[in-house]
């Protein structure tokens, strides 16, 4: 092996998730055990389990579930939403009565928008109220771990679809007792494409005596329009969604009677299963916007009407790597064709596609004339997928194109510069270090343009794109891999297609306000809205001057005016109380949200400061944020006290992982703090013999691309193959250094298949597939397989009743030659459950090997003496050697002394190394078995 200078690369640490504001969504239902279908199921879990164990058929279980359901009456389900100046406060309440003669477990389950903060949860049982408590996540985590260790499912919040989170909790209710669940959450509605939207998902799955959804909207600015409807209602029942609209208030209600809830005349099934959607906007007569001063806090809503759009210079940077093949590439082409049609003739545009190579349609931006757009559409129709993913060079090419065209005066001075990046995977060509790419892009852009990032599918590292966009005056958006991906892409473009103002600066009297949220914005797009809030430092607000400065399409934009306090009692005299000090809570919500964003993109000191402030405010205002958790203490049962349950705010990273690993029973994103590591060059095999406190090792040399069988157990159906890759640059002596770059693992009886590369991990189980990224940190539990992934470090896999192994990701860097090599190591941690017929380069040693060593003599190197080994009836010349073992210390590894067998392990392994070569990574055909396989009594572990 050639000696080279090596350094450690890439820390292993938990990645922060992205967090963005979307729409207000809600869903409420009440249910019990899993054995019956539907969102609302009432049954007794102990009875179901006993019947199942007694091998009673499905029809018996279903009948039993229905009978028990009749014992529990859900008599009330209400959703009460109050919106005061875009700030929404929603209370979901469900009540049930156990009419049976024994206790029943009843669960409360609701869906809420992923951008909302839970502020309160309580349960009232037999006049006893149990209230959730918001705590620092670190402290709550200890209680979570206690609950998990006791075998309970402690997490109350899970991802649900693209925009929702599901909150669920269950309690045991005594006979003839009531339970009432109350969940409260808050959020600031975001204006998109000229409207606000409130969506309430309702699916009670049974008739409810008191079913009511009510929304009251209070907008002193004046309500422009309100639209409300139920997606599940037939035409004749659409009037059930009632609305009353005055100048500044709207009241929407949906309160069907029992008969109106019925799916058919005389039946007990309900037609309520879908969404109640409310859309509205406010009047915008004032160019300064709407400023409200209430109870010592102010909020400024800025979206001036009738502004002309600013033409844009936009470069589309499109990933066309191999992973974009098929549907994703087709949907991208369709979306690009539609987007090109929507370009205005005053816009300038360019197209850059990338894989390993960067390809430009033209070398500079082109005016969006009909002729040029037609030519571009013809080009787009012929884009095909190919090769790797070189994000760094592609984005830098786009930046350089805009900079050069600006320098050459090819672009109108007032046009707004932007780059829209679409990618579906991790960078694996060119620069692959994510922090380095972010640094390169940030340095090149230098605040002179906006970068918008679209992450297509689940293989992309969304956190990487989100941070990179925020660092460059843009935003990121996930594009879900689904049939409507084309619509998603077009929808995002529509949001940013029409900039109205740039470099918007909102100013307030320095001596009158403090603790103001972000008041400088890079752009204002048509149909959106800027919101600024702050706390007053002076109660004398007679001289509250508000000024706005920005760049517009026709020149500088400037407006100013005096603001005054809003007397809500005068505007809404009939409403004694709407919901508390909403302006203060709106300010707190917005401040926390912006601090969380700053905690991702600043310096280490800025991140720490922003995190600390966000945590303090989250606790002060009882918001469940990514930094806090709500601890819910369940009442005691006959079995004794219950451990607390934990409600968390999911990060976008956790949501993405939940979507990737949907067929696992349990998903938990861990905070694992490790550092990366280095290792030796050529693939080496090591057989550890713990009972003898010794080890054997050997190398296998072959050409890059060769696939070896490492483990094969025909009895259990386990197969492990590994493919070697070559060193990127040849050594001066022309020796080809090889490494393991891919592993293929199959367990036929468990229905499990894994492909592990230096880029990602593909997992298949019972026909369902997901992909893990080495940038993830997560642990997954399934019925046949558990996985634990430490970011950029190692993957530990436990296959039920079979084997435990670890794959380690190595990164070796040669400073002198300015390049690095990623490769893999395979460590067997436990193989005792495999059959004695197991074989392969490693497998043949899993049940031990008998050998003796004698005739020690000095070697060519004093530290490496020679000896004679007696093994399998042969005498072999061996050398005392050492290898690095990373299975326990993935940072530094540890030196393990071993007897090195020369010539590709000849004499130690059965047959020759070529006998273990297979034609494919998942080739299940038998390798060549030879006579004379020696099986010893000593246990061993295999490493490669």
């Amino acid at each position: 092996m050639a000696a080279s200078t090596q350094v450690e690369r890439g820390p292993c640490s938990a990645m922060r998730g992205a967090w963005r504001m979307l729409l207000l969504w809600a869903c409420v239902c009440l249910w019990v055990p899993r054995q019956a279908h539907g969102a609302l199921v009432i049954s007794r879990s102990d009875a179901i389990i006993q019947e199942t164990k007694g091998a009673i058929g499905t029809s018996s279980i279903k009948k039993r579930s229905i009978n028990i359901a009749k014992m529990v009456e859900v008599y009330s389900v209400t959703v009460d939403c109050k919106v005061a100046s875009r700030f929404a406060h929603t209370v979901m309440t469900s009540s049930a009565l156990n009419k049976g003669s024994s206790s029943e477990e009843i669960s409360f389950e609701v869906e809420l928008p992923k951008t909302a903060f839970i502020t309160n949860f309580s349960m009232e049982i037999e006049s006893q109220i149990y209230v959730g408590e918001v705590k620092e996540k670190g402290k709550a985590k200890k209680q979570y771990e206690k609950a998990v260790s006791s075998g309970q499912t402690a997490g109350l919040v899970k991802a649900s679809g693209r925009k929702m989170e599901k909150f669920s909790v269950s309690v045991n209710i005594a006979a003839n007792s009531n339970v009432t669940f109350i969940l409260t959450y808050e959020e600031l509605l975001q204006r998109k494409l000229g409207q606000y939207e409130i969506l309430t998902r309702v699916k009670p799955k049974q008739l409810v005596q008191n079913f009511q959804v009510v929304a009251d909207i209070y907008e002193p600015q004046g309500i422009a329009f309100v639209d409300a409807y139920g997606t599940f209602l037939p035409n004749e029942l659409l009037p059930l969604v009632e609305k009353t609209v005055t100048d500044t208030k709207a009241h929407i209600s949906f309160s069907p009677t029992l008969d109106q809830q019925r799916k058919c005349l005389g039946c007990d099934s309900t037609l309520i299963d879908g969404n109640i959607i409310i859309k509205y906007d406010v009047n915008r007569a004032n160019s300064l916007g709407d400023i409200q001063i209430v109870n010592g806090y102010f909020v400024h809503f800025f979206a001036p009407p009738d502004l002309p759009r600013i033409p844009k210079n936009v470069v589309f940077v499109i990933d066309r790597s191999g992973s974009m093949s098929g549907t994703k590439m087709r949907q991208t082409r369709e979306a690009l064709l539609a987007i090109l049609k929507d370009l205005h003739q005053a816009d300038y545009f360019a197209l850059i596609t990338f894989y390993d190579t960067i390809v430009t349609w033209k070398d500079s931006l082109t005016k969006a004339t009909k002729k040029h757009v037609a030519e571009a559409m013809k080009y787009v129709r012929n884009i095909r997928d190919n090769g790797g993913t070189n994000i760094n060079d592609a984005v830098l090419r786009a930046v350089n194109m805009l900079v050069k065209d600006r320098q050459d005066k090819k672009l109108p001075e007032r046009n707004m510069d932007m780059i829209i990046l679409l990618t579906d995977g991790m960078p694996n060509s060119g620069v692959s270090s994510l922090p380095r790419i972010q640094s390169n892009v940030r340095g090149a852009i230098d605040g002179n343009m906006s970068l918008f990032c679209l992450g297509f599918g689940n293989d992309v590292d969304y956190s990487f794109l989100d941070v990179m966009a925020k660092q460059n005056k843009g935003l990121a958006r996930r594009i879900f891999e689904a049939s409507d991906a084309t619509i998603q892409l077009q929808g995002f473009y529509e949001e940013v297609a029409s900039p109205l103002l740039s470099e918007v600066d909102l100013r307030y009297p320095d001596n009158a306000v403090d603790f103001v949220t972000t008041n400088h914005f890079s752009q204002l797009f048509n149909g959106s809205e800027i919101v600024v809030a702050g706390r007053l430092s002076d109660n004398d607000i007679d001289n509250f001057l508000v000024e706005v400065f920005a760049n517009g399409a026709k020149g500088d934009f400037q407006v100013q005016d005096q603001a005054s306090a809003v007397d809500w009692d005068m505007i809404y005299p009939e409403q004694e109380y709407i919901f508390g000090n909403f302006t203060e809570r709106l300010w707190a919500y917005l401040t926390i949200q912006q601090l969380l964003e700053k905690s991702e993109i600043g310096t280490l000191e800025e991140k720490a400061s922003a995190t600390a402030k966000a945590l303090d405010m989250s606790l002060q205002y009882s918001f469940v944020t990514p930094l806090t958790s709500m601890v819910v203490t369940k009442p005691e049962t006959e079995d004794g006290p219950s451990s607390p349950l934990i409600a968390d705010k999911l990060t976008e990273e956790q949501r993405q992982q939940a979507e990737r690993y949907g067929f696992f029973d349990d998903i938990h994103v861990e905070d694992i703090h490790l550092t990366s590591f280095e290792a030796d060059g050529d693939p080496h095999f090591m057989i550890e013999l713990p009972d003898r406190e010794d080890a054997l090792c050997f190398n296998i040399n072959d050409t890059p691309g060769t696939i070896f069988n490492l483990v094969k157990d025909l009895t259990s159906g386990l197969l492990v193959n590994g493919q070697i890759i070559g060193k990127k640059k040849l050594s001066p002596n022309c020796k080809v250094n090889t490494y393991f770059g891919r592993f293929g693992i199959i367990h036929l009886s468990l229905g499990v298949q894994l492909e592990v590369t230096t880029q990602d991990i593909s997992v298949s189980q019972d026909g369902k597939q997901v992909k893990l990224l080495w940038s993830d940190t997560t642990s997954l539990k399934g019925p046949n397989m558990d996985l634990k992934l430490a970011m950029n470090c190692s993957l530990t896999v436990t296959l039920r009743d079979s084997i435990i192994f670890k794959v380690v990701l190595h990164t070796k860097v040669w400073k002198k030659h300015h390049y690095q090599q990623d490769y893999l190591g395979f460590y067997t941690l436990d193989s005792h459950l495999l059959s004695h017929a197991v074989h392969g380069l490693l497998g043949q040693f899993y049940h031990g090997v008998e050998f003796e060593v004698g005739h020690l003599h000095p070697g060519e190197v004093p530290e490496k003496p020679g000896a004679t080994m007696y093994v399998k009836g042969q005498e072999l010349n061996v050398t005392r050697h050492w290898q690095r073992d990373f299975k326990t210390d993935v940072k530094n590894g540890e030196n393990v002394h071993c007897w090195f067998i020369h010539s590709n392990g000849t004499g130690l392994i059965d047959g020759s190394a070529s006998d273990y070569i297979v034609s494919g990574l998942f080739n299940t055909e038998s390798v060549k078995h030879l006579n004379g396989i020696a099986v010893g009594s000593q246990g061993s572990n295999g490493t490669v």
Side-chain angles (χ1 to χ4, degrees), residues 586-618:
L586 186 156
W587 165 78
Y589 174 96
L590 199 56
T591 300
I592 293 170
Q593 184 189 62
Q594 293 174 355
L595 286 170
L596 290 170
E597 291 188 359
K598 290 178 182 178
S599 71
E600 296 176 345
I601 62 175
T603 64
L604 289 176
E605 186 174 325
E606 290 170 341
K607 290 179 180 179
S609 175
T611 300
K613 291 177 182 177
L615 173 60
D616 287 344
M617 291 190 67
S618 299

Side-chain angles (χ1 to χ4, degrees), residues 383-447:
I383 295 176
R384 296 295 182 269
D385 55 275
N386 181 40
T389 306
N390 189 346
I391 293 177
N392 182 79
D393 292 352
V395 177
L396 293 184
R397 179 73 64 87
V399 175
N400 292 336
M401 185 182 289
L402 281 165
V403 170
K404 186 176 185 303
D405 283 2
R406 281 288 187 189
Q407 293 173 345
D408 296 342
K409 309 295 183 183
K410 293 182 179 180
L411 303 175
E413 183 179 350
R414 285 201 170 272
N415 280 26
M416 183 180 293
D417 296 342
M418 64 174 67
I419 298 169
I420 298 179
L421 166 68
L422 169 68
T423 182
D424 77 326
M426 294 288 289
N428 55 22
S429 179
V431 179
S432 59
S433 166
L434 303 186
R436 184 177 168 192
I437 294 173
Q438 290 170 338
S439 176
N440 291 345
V441 171
R442 190 175 193 177
I445 288 179
D446 196 26

Side-chain angles (χ1 to χ4, degrees), residues 82-341:
K82 286 184 171 59
V83 181
S85 294
R86 288 74 144 179
F87 194 65
H89 173 97
T90 302
V91 181
M92 295 179 162
T93 306
S94 287
S95 299
L97 168 65
N98 177 12
K99 299 186 295 183
S101 58
S102 61
S103 63
E104 306 290 348
E105 187 177 67
I106 302 176
S107 293
F108 171 71
E109 180 179 285
V110 300
E111 290 187 32
L112 61 151
K114 68 178 184 179
T115 53
F117 290 158
I118 293 174
T119 62
N120 186 49
F121 173 73
S122 63
M123 300 179 290
E124 183 176 352
I125 304 171
E126 297 179 349
S127 301
Q128 180 71 38
I129 298 177
Y130 304 86
V131 181
E133 181 182 2
V134 176
K135 295 185 177 182
E136 181 183 353
K137 179 162 287 188
K139 295 179 180 178
K141 185 180 178 183
K142 295 179 180 178
Q143 293 174 289
Y144 174 94
E145 291 170 346
K146 178 182 178 182
V148 170
S149 65
S150 65
Q152 300 184 47
T153 301
L156 300 182
V157 178
K158 295 182 178 180
S160 178
R162 299 175 185 178
K163 301 175 181 179
M164 307 292 282
E165 291 176 351
K166 183 177 292 185
F167 174 97
S168 60
V169 63
S170 62
V171 292
N172 203 282
I173 303 301
N176 299 312
S177 296
N178 291 282
V179 58
T180 297
F181 302 96
I182 303 174
L183 179 76
T184 305
Y185 61 84
E186 296 174 347
E187 78 160 335
L188 178 65
L189 300 181
Q190 183 185 18
R191 188 171 185 249
K192 283 188 177 181
L193 302 177
Q195 62 188 16
Y196 309 96
E197 181 172 300
I198 305 168
L199 190 151
T200 304
R201 187 170 295 161
V202 288
K203 46 180 180 179
K205 295 298 183 182
Q206 67 172 242
L207 304 178
V208 180
Q209 183 68 42
N210 177 35
F211 186 93
Q212 187 176 49
V213 178
V214 175
D216 288 296
I217 302 171
Y218 304 88
E219 293 288 355
Q221 198 169 341
I223 296 175
F225 74 89
V226 176
D227 188 17
Y229 56 93
T231 59
F232 53 88
L233 292 175
N235 291 336
E236 64 271 18
L237 294 181
L238 286 176
L240 289 180
V241 180
E242 301 176 350
K243 65 177 182 179
T244 304
V245 183
T246 61
D247 183 30
T248 60
K249 179 183 175 182
H251 176 79
I252 300 95
S253 65
F254 174 62
S255 306
T257 65
L258 283 174
D259 286 338
Q260 290 170 336
Q261 296 175 41
R262 299 183 194 276
K263 184 174 290 186
C264 55
L265 186 64
C267 64
D268 291 334
S269 57
T270 177
L271 60 78
I272 300 177
D273 186 359
N275 303 321
I276 300 292
I277 298 174
I278 302 171
K279 298 179 180 180
Y280 79 96
D281 198 14
V282 299
N283 297 323
R284 301 179 188 278
N286 191 340
S287 295
L288 185 65
D290 179 39
I291 301 127
Q292 297 183 30
I293 303 173
V294 182
N295 296 335
Y297 289 82
F298 80 91
V299 58
H300 183 189
F301 301 98
F302 179 71
D306 305 323
L307 289 177
R309 63 179 299 277
I310 301 175
K312 59 186 177 294
N313 308 318
V314 56
V315 182
F316 298 99
V317 182
I318 307 301
D319 186 345
R320 51 173 286 196
S321 61
S323 58
M324 285 284 291
S325 64
T327 302
K328 283 193 284 189
M329 196 74 257
R330 174 182 59 78
Q331 291 173 324
T332 300
R333 286 194 297 265
E334 291 173 355
L336 271 176
L337 292 173
I339 288 169
L340 289 171
K341 287 181 182 178

